[in-house]
Short mmCIF file of all heavy atoms in Angstrom, two decimals:
data_model
loop_
_atom_site.label_atom_id
_atom_site.label_comp_id
_atom_site.label_asym_id
_atom_site.label_seq_id
_atom_site.Cartn_x
_atom_site.Cartn_y
_atom_site.Cartn_z
N GLY A 1 104.23 78.57 105.65
CA GLY A 1 104.85 79.51 104.70
C GLY A 1 103.95 80.00 103.56
O GLY A 1 104.42 80.15 102.47
N LEU A 2 102.69 80.22 103.83
CA LEU A 2 101.80 80.61 102.87
C LEU A 2 102.19 81.97 102.26
O LEU A 2 102.63 82.90 102.96
CB LEU A 2 100.38 80.77 103.42
CG LEU A 2 99.78 79.48 103.88
CD1 LEU A 2 98.53 79.67 104.70
CD2 LEU A 2 99.42 78.56 102.62
N GLY A 3 102.01 82.17 100.98
CA GLY A 3 102.56 83.30 100.25
C GLY A 3 101.63 84.51 100.27
O GLY A 3 100.40 84.40 100.52
N VAL A 4 102.22 85.67 100.13
CA VAL A 4 101.54 86.97 100.04
C VAL A 4 101.86 87.62 98.70
O VAL A 4 103.02 87.76 98.33
CB VAL A 4 101.91 87.89 101.21
CG1 VAL A 4 101.44 89.25 100.95
CG2 VAL A 4 101.46 87.30 102.52
N PRO A 5 100.90 88.06 97.93
CA PRO A 5 101.18 88.69 96.62
C PRO A 5 101.57 90.19 96.84
O PRO A 5 100.75 91.07 97.09
CB PRO A 5 99.86 88.61 95.90
CG PRO A 5 98.81 88.52 96.93
CD PRO A 5 99.42 87.84 98.12
N TYR A 6 102.85 90.46 96.87
CA TYR A 6 103.35 91.75 97.09
C TYR A 6 103.34 92.75 95.90
O TYR A 6 103.25 93.99 96.05
CB TYR A 6 104.82 91.72 97.60
CG TYR A 6 104.96 91.30 98.96
CD1 TYR A 6 105.79 90.22 99.37
CD2 TYR A 6 104.38 92.01 100.04
CE1 TYR A 6 105.99 89.83 100.71
CE2 TYR A 6 104.53 91.66 101.36
CZ TYR A 6 105.35 90.58 101.67
OH TYR A 6 105.47 90.19 103.00
N PHE A 7 103.33 92.17 94.64
CA PHE A 7 103.67 92.93 93.47
C PHE A 7 102.48 92.94 92.53
O PHE A 7 101.66 92.00 92.50
CB PHE A 7 104.92 92.51 92.81
CG PHE A 7 106.07 92.34 93.75
CD1 PHE A 7 106.60 91.09 94.07
CD2 PHE A 7 106.69 93.52 94.31
CE1 PHE A 7 107.57 91.00 95.05
CE2 PHE A 7 107.80 93.42 95.20
CZ PHE A 7 108.15 92.22 95.54
N GLU A 8 102.34 94.00 91.75
CA GLU A 8 101.24 94.23 90.86
C GLU A 8 101.16 93.19 89.70
O GLU A 8 100.10 93.03 89.20
CB GLU A 8 101.28 95.62 90.31
CG GLU A 8 100.97 96.65 91.33
CD GLU A 8 100.87 98.04 90.79
OE1 GLU A 8 101.21 98.25 89.60
OE2 GLU A 8 100.26 98.95 91.40
N ASP A 9 102.28 92.52 89.47
CA ASP A 9 102.26 91.47 88.35
C ASP A 9 101.86 90.08 88.91
O ASP A 9 101.78 89.08 88.14
CB ASP A 9 103.66 91.40 87.73
CG ASP A 9 104.84 91.02 88.67
OD1 ASP A 9 104.57 90.81 89.88
OD2 ASP A 9 105.95 90.78 88.21
N GLU A 10 101.55 90.01 90.17
CA GLU A 10 101.10 88.77 90.75
C GLU A 10 99.54 88.62 90.81
O GLU A 10 98.84 89.66 90.97
CB GLU A 10 101.66 88.65 92.20
CG GLU A 10 103.18 88.51 92.25
CD GLU A 10 103.62 88.32 93.67
OE1 GLU A 10 103.65 89.36 94.40
OE2 GLU A 10 104.01 87.23 94.07
N GLU A 11 99.11 87.44 90.77
CA GLU A 11 97.60 87.13 90.90
C GLU A 11 97.24 87.46 92.32
O GLU A 11 97.89 87.10 93.27
CB GLU A 11 97.35 85.70 90.52
CG GLU A 11 95.82 85.39 90.57
CD GLU A 11 95.63 83.94 90.29
OE1 GLU A 11 96.55 83.25 89.85
OE2 GLU A 11 94.45 83.45 90.43
N GLU A 12 96.11 88.15 92.46
CA GLU A 12 95.63 88.53 93.73
C GLU A 12 95.17 87.39 94.53
O GLU A 12 94.72 86.30 94.03
CB GLU A 12 94.44 89.56 93.68
CG GLU A 12 94.85 90.99 93.53
CD GLU A 12 95.67 91.41 94.68
OE1 GLU A 12 95.14 91.61 95.79
OE2 GLU A 12 96.88 91.66 94.57
N GLU A 13 95.35 87.50 95.87
CA GLU A 13 94.93 86.41 96.82
C GLU A 13 93.42 86.23 96.87
O GLU A 13 92.74 87.20 96.96
CB GLU A 13 95.52 86.70 98.21
CG GLU A 13 95.10 85.71 99.32
CD GLU A 13 95.49 86.26 100.69
OE1 GLU A 13 94.71 87.15 101.16
OE2 GLU A 13 96.39 85.72 101.28
N GLN A 14 93.01 85.05 96.82
CA GLN A 14 91.61 84.66 97.19
C GLN A 14 91.63 83.96 98.59
O GLN A 14 91.83 82.75 98.61
CB GLN A 14 91.08 83.75 96.11
CG GLN A 14 91.08 84.30 94.77
CD GLN A 14 90.26 85.57 94.62
OE1 GLN A 14 89.16 85.69 95.22
NE2 GLN A 14 90.77 86.55 93.81
N LEU A 15 91.46 84.75 99.61
CA LEU A 15 91.72 84.20 100.96
C LEU A 15 90.76 83.00 101.27
O LEU A 15 91.25 82.05 101.87
CB LEU A 15 91.43 85.36 102.00
CG LEU A 15 91.70 85.01 103.42
CD1 LEU A 15 93.10 84.52 103.69
CD2 LEU A 15 91.38 86.20 104.36
N ASP A 16 89.56 83.10 100.91
CA ASP A 16 88.66 82.02 101.16
C ASP A 16 89.09 80.71 100.63
O ASP A 16 89.08 79.64 101.30
CB ASP A 16 87.17 82.32 100.74
CG ASP A 16 86.49 83.40 101.50
OD1 ASP A 16 87.02 83.77 102.63
OD2 ASP A 16 85.54 84.01 101.06
N GLN A 17 89.61 80.76 99.37
CA GLN A 17 90.10 79.58 98.68
C GLN A 17 91.35 79.12 99.34
O GLN A 17 91.54 77.82 99.45
CB GLN A 17 90.38 79.85 97.23
CG GLN A 17 89.06 80.19 96.40
CD GLN A 17 89.39 80.53 94.93
OE1 GLN A 17 90.49 80.18 94.47
NE2 GLN A 17 88.45 81.14 94.28
N VAL A 18 92.22 79.92 99.74
CA VAL A 18 93.46 79.56 100.38
C VAL A 18 93.21 78.79 101.65
O VAL A 18 93.69 77.74 101.98
CB VAL A 18 94.40 80.75 100.64
CG1 VAL A 18 95.57 80.33 101.47
CG2 VAL A 18 94.85 81.37 99.36
N LEU A 19 92.35 79.40 102.43
CA LEU A 19 91.98 78.83 103.81
C LEU A 19 91.17 77.44 103.60
O LEU A 19 91.43 76.53 104.40
CB LEU A 19 91.13 79.74 104.63
CG LEU A 19 91.82 81.05 105.07
CD1 LEU A 19 91.03 82.03 105.71
CD2 LEU A 19 93.06 80.71 106.00
N ASP A 20 90.34 77.41 102.59
CA ASP A 20 89.56 76.17 102.34
C ASP A 20 90.53 75.03 101.95
O ASP A 20 90.38 73.97 102.52
CB ASP A 20 88.53 76.43 101.21
CG ASP A 20 87.74 75.16 100.99
OD1 ASP A 20 86.97 74.78 101.90
OD2 ASP A 20 87.78 74.65 99.86
N THR A 21 91.56 75.29 101.12
CA THR A 21 92.41 74.30 100.78
C THR A 21 93.36 73.80 101.95
O THR A 21 93.57 72.64 102.16
CB THR A 21 93.36 74.76 99.58
OG1 THR A 21 92.65 75.20 98.55
CG2 THR A 21 94.34 73.69 99.17
N LEU A 22 93.84 74.80 102.73
CA LEU A 22 94.52 74.46 103.88
C LEU A 22 93.75 73.67 104.88
O LEU A 22 94.25 72.65 105.46
CB LEU A 22 95.14 75.72 104.55
CG LEU A 22 95.95 75.56 105.86
CD1 LEU A 22 97.17 74.71 105.62
CD2 LEU A 22 96.22 76.85 106.47
N ASN A 23 92.59 74.01 105.06
CA ASN A 23 91.64 73.31 105.92
C ASN A 23 91.44 71.92 105.50
O ASN A 23 91.40 70.96 106.33
CB ASN A 23 90.34 74.12 106.08
CG ASN A 23 89.42 73.58 107.13
OD1 ASN A 23 89.86 73.41 108.27
ND2 ASN A 23 88.21 73.29 106.84
N GLN A 24 91.19 71.67 104.26
CA GLN A 24 90.99 70.35 103.76
C GLN A 24 92.28 69.47 104.03
O GLN A 24 92.14 68.29 104.41
CB GLN A 24 90.74 70.38 102.23
CG GLN A 24 89.39 70.92 101.86
CD GLN A 24 89.20 70.86 100.35
OE1 GLN A 24 89.57 69.94 99.67
NE2 GLN A 24 88.58 71.95 99.79
N LEU A 25 93.46 69.96 103.75
CA LEU A 25 94.64 69.23 104.00
C LEU A 25 94.78 68.90 105.48
O LEU A 25 95.22 67.81 105.78
CB LEU A 25 95.84 70.03 103.57
CG LEU A 25 96.01 70.32 102.06
CD1 LEU A 25 97.22 71.12 101.71
CD2 LEU A 25 96.06 68.96 101.27
N LEU A 26 94.51 69.86 106.33
CA LEU A 26 94.61 69.52 107.81
C LEU A 26 93.56 68.49 108.26
O LEU A 26 93.88 67.60 109.10
CB LEU A 26 94.37 70.80 108.58
CG LEU A 26 95.44 71.98 108.50
CD1 LEU A 26 94.99 73.25 109.10
CD2 LEU A 26 96.73 71.35 109.09
N ASN A 27 92.33 68.59 107.67
CA ASN A 27 91.37 67.58 108.01
C ASN A 27 91.62 66.21 107.48
O ASN A 27 90.98 65.22 107.96
CB ASN A 27 90.01 68.10 107.67
CG ASN A 27 89.40 69.14 108.63
OD1 ASN A 27 89.24 68.80 109.72
ND2 ASN A 27 89.03 70.29 108.10
N GLN A 28 92.48 66.08 106.47
CA GLN A 28 92.80 64.87 105.90
C GLN A 28 93.83 64.04 106.73
O GLN A 28 94.08 62.85 106.63
CB GLN A 28 93.34 65.00 104.50
CG GLN A 28 92.31 65.39 103.47
CD GLN A 28 92.92 65.74 102.12
OE1 GLN A 28 94.09 65.58 101.87
NE2 GLN A 28 92.08 66.26 101.19
N LEU A 29 94.49 64.78 107.64
CA LEU A 29 95.56 64.15 108.45
C LEU A 29 94.91 63.10 109.42
O LEU A 29 93.86 63.30 110.05
CB LEU A 29 96.20 65.25 109.33
CG LEU A 29 97.16 66.20 108.65
CD1 LEU A 29 97.58 67.18 109.63
CD2 LEU A 29 98.24 65.54 107.94
N LYS A 30 95.63 62.02 109.51
CA LYS A 30 95.21 60.99 110.51
C LYS A 30 95.88 61.28 111.84
O LYS A 30 95.40 60.68 112.87
CB LYS A 30 95.72 59.62 109.99
CG LYS A 30 94.96 59.16 108.64
CD LYS A 30 95.58 57.86 108.20
CE LYS A 30 94.95 57.38 106.86
NZ LYS A 30 95.51 56.16 106.39
N PHE A 31 96.81 62.10 111.86
CA PHE A 31 97.44 62.58 113.12
C PHE A 31 96.36 63.18 113.98
O PHE A 31 95.68 64.06 113.72
CB PHE A 31 98.52 63.59 112.81
CG PHE A 31 99.19 64.21 114.05
CD1 PHE A 31 100.06 63.50 114.81
CD2 PHE A 31 98.90 65.58 114.35
CE1 PHE A 31 100.63 64.10 115.94
CE2 PHE A 31 99.52 66.12 115.45
CZ PHE A 31 100.39 65.37 116.26
N SER A 32 96.28 62.71 115.25
CA SER A 32 95.20 63.11 116.16
C SER A 32 95.65 64.10 117.19
O SER A 32 94.83 64.52 118.04
CB SER A 32 94.59 61.91 116.84
OG SER A 32 95.58 61.26 117.59
N GLY A 33 96.96 64.52 117.16
CA GLY A 33 97.44 65.39 118.22
C GLY A 33 97.18 66.84 117.88
O GLY A 33 96.42 67.15 116.96
N GLN A 34 97.79 67.72 118.69
CA GLN A 34 97.65 69.15 118.59
C GLN A 34 98.49 69.62 117.34
O GLN A 34 99.65 69.25 117.22
CB GLN A 34 98.01 69.82 119.79
CG GLN A 34 97.88 71.30 119.79
CD GLN A 34 98.32 71.96 121.06
OE1 GLN A 34 98.60 71.29 122.09
NE2 GLN A 34 98.34 73.29 121.16
N VAL A 35 97.93 70.45 116.40
CA VAL A 35 98.67 71.09 115.35
C VAL A 35 98.70 72.61 115.73
O VAL A 35 97.68 73.29 115.87
CB VAL A 35 98.05 70.90 114.06
CG1 VAL A 35 98.79 71.64 112.94
CG2 VAL A 35 98.05 69.42 113.66
N ILE A 36 99.93 73.21 115.65
CA ILE A 36 100.18 74.62 115.87
C ILE A 36 100.67 75.11 114.60
O ILE A 36 101.77 74.69 114.10
CB ILE A 36 101.19 74.81 117.03
CG1 ILE A 36 100.60 74.30 118.32
CG2 ILE A 36 101.38 76.33 117.14
CD1 ILE A 36 101.62 74.41 119.50
N LEU A 37 100.01 75.98 113.97
CA LEU A 37 100.37 76.59 112.65
C LEU A 37 101.07 77.94 112.98
O LEU A 37 100.46 78.89 113.47
CB LEU A 37 99.15 76.87 111.85
CG LEU A 37 98.37 75.68 111.35
CD1 LEU A 37 97.12 76.09 110.62
CD2 LEU A 37 99.18 74.77 110.49
N GLU A 38 102.38 78.00 112.57
CA GLU A 38 103.18 79.15 112.78
C GLU A 38 102.83 80.11 111.55
O GLU A 38 103.03 79.75 110.47
CB GLU A 38 104.68 78.89 112.75
CG GLU A 38 105.14 78.10 113.96
CD GLU A 38 106.54 77.67 113.88
OE1 GLU A 38 107.18 77.97 112.84
OE2 GLU A 38 107.04 77.14 114.84
N MET A 39 102.38 81.29 111.85
CA MET A 39 102.04 82.36 110.84
C MET A 39 102.65 83.65 111.20
O MET A 39 102.50 84.11 112.33
CB MET A 39 100.56 82.45 110.63
CG MET A 39 99.90 81.29 110.04
SD MET A 39 98.13 81.54 109.84
CE MET A 39 97.64 79.97 108.98
N GLY A 40 103.30 84.26 110.18
CA GLY A 40 103.85 85.65 110.35
C GLY A 40 103.46 86.46 109.20
O GLY A 40 102.51 87.28 109.32
N ARG A 41 104.04 86.33 108.11
CA ARG A 41 103.82 87.04 106.84
C ARG A 41 102.32 87.00 106.48
O ARG A 41 101.67 87.97 106.20
CB ARG A 41 104.66 86.57 105.78
CG ARG A 41 104.67 87.45 104.55
CD ARG A 41 105.48 86.78 103.41
NE ARG A 41 106.81 86.32 103.82
CZ ARG A 41 107.86 87.13 103.88
NH1 ARG A 41 107.78 88.32 103.51
NH2 ARG A 41 109.04 86.66 104.22
N PHE A 42 101.82 85.73 106.44
CA PHE A 42 100.48 85.51 105.97
C PHE A 42 99.44 86.18 106.86
O PHE A 42 98.40 86.71 106.31
CB PHE A 42 100.16 84.01 105.92
CG PHE A 42 98.81 83.62 105.48
CD1 PHE A 42 98.54 83.77 104.07
CD2 PHE A 42 97.88 83.14 106.25
CE1 PHE A 42 97.25 83.39 103.62
CE2 PHE A 42 96.60 82.75 105.79
CZ PHE A 42 96.28 82.89 104.47
N LEU A 43 99.74 86.32 108.14
CA LEU A 43 98.77 86.93 109.01
C LEU A 43 98.82 88.49 108.99
O LEU A 43 97.87 89.17 109.06
CB LEU A 43 99.07 86.43 110.46
CG LEU A 43 98.24 87.11 111.61
CD1 LEU A 43 96.72 86.83 111.42
CD2 LEU A 43 98.71 86.47 112.96
N THR A 44 100.00 89.06 108.95
CA THR A 44 100.16 90.41 109.17
C THR A 44 100.51 91.32 108.01
O THR A 44 100.50 92.58 108.09
CB THR A 44 101.21 90.70 110.28
OG1 THR A 44 102.53 90.23 109.81
CG2 THR A 44 100.88 89.95 111.57
#
């Protein structure tokens, strides 16, 4: 459910930082199975 800044009063997205933080959280998981990330708003 990653957010998208729709309005001019919101801070602009720093995509690299967002992905880096998400990537760190995923790599910290001890879970060894397959992770499927559902994305709609964030992607399109």
Side-chain angles (χ1 to χ4, degrees):
L2 294 167
V4 170
Y6 282 126
F7 308 109
E8 292 189 342
D9 61 356
E10 293 180 287
E11 183 179 351
E12 275 299 289
E13 175 192 72
Q14 301 299 322
L15 182 58
D16 290 345
Q17 295 179 15
V18 172
L19 293 174
D20 183 63
T21 304
L22 178 61
N23 188 50
Q24 290 182 40
L25 294 178
L26 291 170
N27 279 305
Q28 289 171 9
L29 291 175
K30 296 178 183 178
F31 175 73
S32 60
Q34 180 181 354
V35 174
I36 299 176
L37 296 175
E38 296 177 352
M39 291 184 176
R41 191 186 309 278
F42 182 71
L43 175 58
T44 64

